[in-house]
Amino acid sequence: MASALPTLLLVDDEAHALNAMRMALEDEFDCLTAPDAEAATRLMEENYVQVIFCDQRMPGRSGVEFLTEVRDRWPDVVRIIITGFTETNDMIAAINRAGIYQFLTKPWHPDHLLMTAKNATQLFRLNREHAQMSLEMRHLPRSMEAKLADQRRALREGLGFESVLRAPNSPMNAVIEQARQYASFDVPVLITGAPGTGKAALARAMHYASLRADRPFHEIDVTGVSDDILEVELFGARRGAVTGSPMSRIGLVQKADRGTLFLNGLHDLSPRMQLVLLRLATEGAWRPLGAHEMSRSDIRLIAGAGIDLRAEVAAGRFRSDLYYALARATLVVPPLAERPGDLGILAQSLLFDAARAHGKPVQGLSEDAIRFLEQYDWPGNLRELENEVTRMLIFSQDALLGPELISRHILQAVPGRAGSDPALDAVLTARGPLKTRVEEIEARILRETLTRLRWNKSRAAEELGLSRVGLRAKIDRYDIRAPGRAAQSEED
């Protein structure tokens, strides 16, 4: 009897890599393994495989060569390549010759691997159903076009929300499920969340999962923008209406006609612009600068706010009629402090993006580095995380980035307790013996110094003004343990 689980083929010449992939995936998939392209080809001929994870560097045929053959013989199979290298030539060759669906760079995160496998099997199923319906349309009435259009929308929806990276047990999953429901209903949506939590990415995913997916998506952050400039950006201007600009300007409202416009930073709007947007939100009416007649647009408005607009309405700082016009549906994006399980996936993805942008190949973040990043509360959210991994990339000397590259205030975050500065404030303001409070601060300084110096105790003792015996005594006293990969010889 055939297995009820989707079948994956894992190809890698390193046995430990195959075992690691199989252990991460076998609970939800039927996993076949092969050490090289020849063995993998035999398994393809004997099994109904839906997705292939293949290493690029293997003896004999490379991953690109093998997946190119797979594309010719089994074109429906979703092909994913895993590589510890990021050479541009390899990437271009893989995309053009083998039709690669996705790249995974070593070291991969188990949650990222599992999510990729789920998305790939879903894409395989949707592609097969799409192909089946295309075949049926050759023989059935035109009414089948509606069914095919639904299938295309399902494909777009999967690709749209896939861009919002998260772990399988992430708090973002509930937000994504709500967003999927709202996406198919043509109503305004208000997304609230701290700056840098990813509101724009969520709005974009909703657009591509909506009935307006074939139309334009535009976004603008109105924070700190003056009314005059914002009015021109949104509604455009007639010829000569803007000083120093003899040409007419087309605004985002007109550009996004029949599509979606995402307005971020809504809480920063002036009372005058709130009134102007109210007319657009309720009537679809707007007027370019210098025009006399009103124009109308059919756009879907998605708004983003960095604070709770209900409190602003209650305080009289935001119009209640505009709030209710835009908040037909609402979403709340949690901060990174509430998503520690997502940190590994997000940090690795941001690091690889930065590595490609700056042309500096990397293998990723070590497990110890990710562990330290997960202990910090990231008040700046994704923007702060992006800045940190870019800084680590700049100072890195090895392809695998370790915790010694992490900023000192992050290394000093107390393990098991989110945040660095809030925790320090708690120590400084708490009641209790001075000795106990000073010891907690001392332990954090010791942990940060040892990690930054890769557990070279001689250098740490010298920097802290301690003897090696004194440093060892404090390490034992505070039970400070070296991360497995960060530890080096005491004699370094």
Side-chain angles (χ1 to χ4, degrees), residues 146-426:
K147 191 175 181 181
L148 183 59
D150 290 341
Q151 190 63 41
R152 287 171 177 160
R153 281 195 295 272
L155 279 168
R156 286 196 302 267
E157 180 177 359
L159 294 175
F161 285 104
E162 184 187 355
S163 64
V164 184
L165 296 179
R166 61 201 184 279
N169 59 346
S170 170
M172 280 296 295
N173 291 337
V175 180
I176 294 297
E177 287 307 310
Q178 281 187 299
R180 288 183 189 275
Q181 295 293 323
Y182 294 151
S184 58
F185 288 84
D186 202 22
V187 298
V189 179
L190 174 63
I191 307 175
T192 58
T197 49
K199 298 186 291 293
L202 187 60
R204 189 178 301 106
M206 292 180 64
H207 167 74
Y208 287 111
S210 73
L211 298 175
R212 298 175 181 262
D214 294 332
R215 307 302 300 175
F217 173 85
H218 290 279
E219 60 181 283
I220 182 173
D221 192 329
V222 304
T223 306
V225 182
S226 67
D227 287 359
D228 293 340
I229 295 177
L230 180 58
E231 194 167 3
V232 174
E233 288 295 320
L234 288 176
F235 307 118
R238 292 288 185 257
R239 183 191 303 271
V242 178
T243 303
S245 177
M247 304 297 293
S248 62
R249 291 277 300 275
I250 298 176
L252 292 177
V253 171
Q254 185 175 351
K255 291 179 181 178
D257 188 35
R258 298 175 62 192
T260 303
L261 178 61
F262 175 57
L263 298 167
N264 203 4
L266 202 69
H267 56 280
D268 203 41
L269 285 176
S270 69
R272 182 171 80 84
M273 288 305 299
Q274 290 181 35
L275 180 60
V276 172
L277 279 179
L278 176 63
R279 184 178 299 167
L280 177 67
T282 55
E283 304 173 16
W286 52 281
R287 178 183 297 146
L289 187 66
H292 300 289
E293 299 82 14
M294 297 294 294
S295 299
R296 294 187 181 276
S297 286
D298 173 23
I299 62 172
R300 182 184 192 180
L301 289 175
I302 300 180
I307 59 177
D308 185 359
L309 283 186
R310 291 174 300 180
E312 296 296 290
V313 171
R317 292 187 291 268
F318 197 87
R319 297 182 64 102
S320 60
D321 46 6
L322 178 58
Y323 171 78
Y324 290 113
L326 295 174
R328 303 276 185 88
T330 59
L331 293 168
V332 179
V333 183
L336 287 191
E338 299 176 12
R339 302 167 54 189
D342 295 351
L343 254 297
I345 295 174
L346 292 170
Q348 296 274 29
S349 177
L350 290 171
L351 175 62
F352 294 140
D353 289 344
R356 284 191 292 270
H358 297 284
K360 186 174 182 178
V362 295
Q363 291 182 9
L365 296 163
S366 71
E367 294 180 4
D368 298 328
I370 292 175
R371 200 172 297 120
F372 273 101
L373 296 178
E374 291 173 344
Q375 294 166 6
Y376 181 62
D377 65 353
W378 300 103
N381 292 293
L382 288 171
R383 296 170 187 169
E384 184 181 7
L385 179 61
E386 182 179 11
N387 289 349
E388 181 63 25
V389 298
T390 302
R391 176 189 171 279
M392 294 174 66
L393 174 71
I394 291 171
F395 288 102
S396 64
Q397 300 296 322
D398 302 318
L400 186 65
L401 279 59
E404 69 280 356
L405 297 168
I406 298 175
S407 297
R408 299 181 68 172
H409 69 283
I410 299 176
L411 290 177
Q412 289 178 8
V414 177
R417 190 165 71 195
S420 172
D421 293 343
L424 179 59
D425 292 340

Side-chain angles (χ1 to χ4, degrees), residues 9 36-50 52 61 64-79 97-99 124 128:
L9 174 57
D36 52 41
E38 284 68 30
T41 300
R42 290 193 294 270
L43 288 173
M44 288 293 297
E45 293 171 343
E46 299 169 359
N47 297 274
Y48 180 62
V49 175
Q50 299 182 13
I52 299 176
R61 282 185 292 168
V64 168
E65 293 170 339
F66 169 64
L67 293 181
T68 301
E69 178 186 347
V70 170
R71 185 192 64 181
D72 296 335
R73 298 184 60 184
W74 300 280
D76 292 339
V77 176
V78 179
R79 299 169 294 281
R97 295 168 51 198
F124 178 90
R128 292 299 296 267

Side-chain angles (χ1 to χ4, degrees), residues 461-474:
E462 180 181 358
E463 179 176 312
L464 296 171
L466 300 171
S467 67
R468 287 178 54 82
V469 174
L471 177 63
R472 184 188 298 277
K474 289 182 179 294

Side-chain angles (χ1 to χ4, degrees), residues 84-123:
F85 304 88
T86 56
E87 295 93 345
T88 302
N89 291 338
D90 282 350
M91 290 184 178
I92 295 175
I95 292 172
N96 292 340
R97 295 168 51 198
I100 299 299
Y101 165 66
Q102 188 170 345
F103 270 85
L104 288 181
T105 308
K106 294 179 180 179
W108 42 262
H109 191 282
D111 291 339
H112 192 191
L113 185 74
L114 181 59
M115 178 176 290
T116 301
K118 290 181 178 179
N119 291 334
T121 53
Q122 175 76 349
L123 181 64

